[in-house]
Amino acid sequence: MSESRDIITVDARGLACPEPLMMAKSALNRAGGKIVEVIVDTTTSRDNILRMAERERLEASERVDGDGFIVRVERKNP
Amino acid sequence: MKKVMGFLASKPGIVVTGAVIGILAPILVHFGNPGNMGICVACFERDIAGALGLHRAAIVQYLRPEIPAFILGSFIAALLAKEWKPRTGSAPLVRFVLGAFAMIGALVFLGCPWRAWLRLAGGDWNAIFGILGLISGILVGVLFLKRGYSLGRSHPAPRALGFAMPLLALGLIVLAFISPLFGRSAEGQAIGPVFRSLKGPGSMAVPIVVALAAGLVIGFLAQRSRFCTIGAVRDVVLFRDPHLALGIASLLVFALATNLVLGQFKAGFVGQPVAHTDGLWNFGGMVLAGLAFTLAGGCPARQIFLSGEGDGDAGVFVLGMIVGAGFAHNFNLASSTTGPSPYGPAATIFGIIVVAIIGLTFREKNA
């Protein structure tokens, strides 16, 4: 995991269910308004994080990154 | 095509997958598969282990085409959706051990999680103890996950690795078609290289092409929808996410309805097909299986579908289950319709200890 001023980046590539989503959630809990970007390498992990974002009414977007995806999540009203 | 693939990954998609499994399984029973065992990943892998001579329990030997068809159905779906990704390296040895002990636990209960729900939908109340055990095992697994349990990362692998399980599946299907040509004793008993039960559950089967068709359809749908009976419970507990649980609810409702229509619903504890009435070890066996599946990241069918989409570690788990089935029968650990074997309970406890040690000791390095 790396952390800049505005973005917390979590590398969840290669991890089995449910670890990528657990990592995303724990990063969000510590984010305090920062944006969380999770790097994943399967559509399953990507979809799990997007579904969680929808459930918890978070702002979410995704983009292709090499062989995988970067899912960007942030709380709208911290 | 893209629309169809996207739909299957959505909420209606998981419900459709559960419905198709729920409808097809009782129909497969109607046309020849064993009672409440239209589809059972543990039982069918055990039958395959028997067919290959990894155990010699005469009544449970058959090269069930459903299992290799699952692999190929998932392989095709993953290729079409561009999700086929050869990968490996996440503690394969540990996954083999988890697979073997998961199988031993499942054969003390007599069924995988799919069959636990299918047995319930057929009126076999013994399944309730198995399902309670399964949930308990998953809950313990969730505790380990919360403590930081991880088998570490897999890494991209050469394309050849992604073909390993689909090719193995093709090989098994070829053997299923040509095995009647192999050696027979004077009584007609198969004497290898591929074995086949003359009586008992291993002798009860739908025609090969029917099994293949059902397996391909289910493998395709389940790869797209990520249907998983372990994730169903785990995600509700961990994330309050009912997505995968909808799949099980759908399976249960449609299997119950199909059983009622076909006159296969028979409520009670006693005299249920390929089942025993020992509540304690129906529960205990599934505690072991549920814990092992949770630590491996998914139910036995999900491991098969993952192996089809290129996950070599899931493939090792599947092979671990098949070898575990060999041990379960060779060491007389598997239950019979009369109850647990004399050694089943001890093996279950030993398995829970081994799997718990794995849960306590494995952490990802450089997390």
Side-chain angles (χ1 to χ4, degrees):
Chain A
M1 195 184 83
S2 72
E3 196 162 341
S4 73
R5 212 158 53 88
D6 301 314
I7 298 181
I8 299 177
T9 305
V10 180
D11 184 356
R13 282 176 294 187
L15 292 170
C17 282
E19 292 174 53
L21 188 51
M22 290 178 79
M23 291 168 77
K25 283 205 81 156
S26 99
L28 271 167
N29 287 341
R30 285 178 285 108
K34 284 184 185 178
I35 293 166
V36 173
E37 287 197 338
V38 191
I39 314 172
V40 296
D41 60 352
T42 63
T43 43
T44 304
S45 297
R46 178 199 67 187
D47 294 347
N48 287 344
I49 297 168
L50 290 174
R51 208 169 52 242
M52 181 267 292
E54 198 185 321
R55 224 172 32 246
E56 304 197 354
R57 298 195 171 75
L58 310 175
E59 197 125 346
S61 63
E62 47 128 344
R63 61 181 191 271
V64 175
D65 172 64
D67 271 350
F69 310 90
I70 294 179
V71 188
R72 187 184 173 100
V73 195
E74 64 181 308
R75 291 193 194 281
K76 274 181 262 183
N77 306 306
Chain B
M1 190 68 199
K2 210 171 171 189
K3 231 176 178 176
V4 176
M5 299 306 247
F7 167 78
L8 288 172
S10 69
K11 190 173 286 180
I14 192 86
V15 174
V16 167
T17 305
V20 170
I21 298 168
I23 293 168
L24 281 182
I27 290 180
L28 291 172
V29 172
H30 185 74
F31 286 107
N33 276 0
N36 290 343
M37 202 197 282
I39 300 159
C40 170
V41 174
C43 316
F44 286 7
E45 286 176 348
R46 181 267 317 276
D47 291 351
I48 289 175
L52 298 176
L54 300 180
H55 69 71
R56 299 298 298 277
I59 58 168
V60 283
Q61 301 170 331
Y62 177 47
L63 250 173
R64 295 270 175 199
E66 289 90 342
I67 299 293
F70 278 178
I71 297 175
L72 292 177
S74 162
F75 174 64
I76 293 164
L79 279 182
L80 290 174
K82 299 196 167 51
E83 289 179 359
W84 183 70
K85 267 189 187 171
R87 54 194 189 270
T88 188
S90 172
L93 177 60
V94 178
R95 290 178 189 275
F96 186 90
V97 173
L98 289 174
F101 278 110
M103 179 61 99
I104 288 168
L107 290 179
V108 168
F109 164 67
L110 292 177
C112 71
W114 282 29
R115 183 167 191 247
W117 293 104
L118 290 170
R119 279 173 60 175
L120 188 63
D124 176 354
W125 302 147
N126 300 297
I128 295 168
F129 293 97
I131 289 169
L132 290 175
L134 182 68
I135 293 171
S136 308
I138 296 171
L139 291 178
V140 175
V142 165
L143 288 180
F144 289 137
L145 283 163
K146 283 188 169 170
R147 291 183 75 253
Y149 164 83
S150 174
L151 286 182
R153 290 169 199 271
S154 66
H155 299 277
R159 292 168 65 82
L161 180 104
F163 289 112
M165 290 299 283
L167 284 173
L168 181 68
L170 269 182
L172 289 176
I173 290 169
V174 169
L175 281 181
F177 274 109
I178 65 175
S179 57
L181 307 174
F182 294 159
R184 301 268 154 180
S185 69
E187 298 78 42
Q189 178 79 44
I191 49 171
V194 176
F195 301 88
R196 175 74 205 264
S197 302
L198 286 180
K199 54 182 189 202
S203 69
M204 303 165 75
V206 295
I208 294 179
V209 284
V210 176
L212 281 179
L216 284 171
V217 169
I218 291 172
F220 188 98
L221 292 176
Q223 191 282 334
R224 295 310 307 136
S225 63
R226 295 73 162 101
F227 187 86
C228 178
T229 54
I230 293 294
V233 177
R234 180 199 64 207
D235 289 357
V236 168
V237 177
L238 257 181
F239 308 120
R240 307 272 170 260
D241 179 1
H243 180 78
L244 292 172
L246 284 174
I248 291 191
S250 171
L251 180 152
L252 191 58
V253 168
F254 280 92
L256 177 63
T258 312
N259 275 325
L260 286 170
V261 169
L262 295 174
Q264 291 175 169
F265 183 83
K266 195 181 66 167
F269 284 97
V270 182
Q272 294 289 350
V274 202
H276 63 78
T277 55
D278 188 317
L280 175 63
W281 293 105
N282 277 329
F283 177 86
M286 281 311 242
V287 170
L288 170 57
L291 177 57
F293 291 136
T294 307
L295 295 186
C299 76
R302 178 78 185 136
Q303 304 285 344
I304 289 179
F305 307 133
L306 284 170
S307 79
E309 60 175 68
D311 185 337
D313 300 325
V316 172
F317 184 93
V318 173
L319 299 181
M321 282 192 74
I322 291 173
V323 171
F327 277 103
H329 284 281
N330 288 338
F331 283 17
N332 195 14
L333 314 176
S335 298
S336 68
T337 49
T338 57
S341 86
Y343 309 105
T348 303
I349 291 168
F350 178 70
I352 290 174
I353 292 170
V354 172
V355 174
I357 290 172
I358 291 172
L360 288 169
T361 50
F362 277 80
R363 295 275 181 286
E364 210 214 339
K365 287 181 180 171
N366 320 312

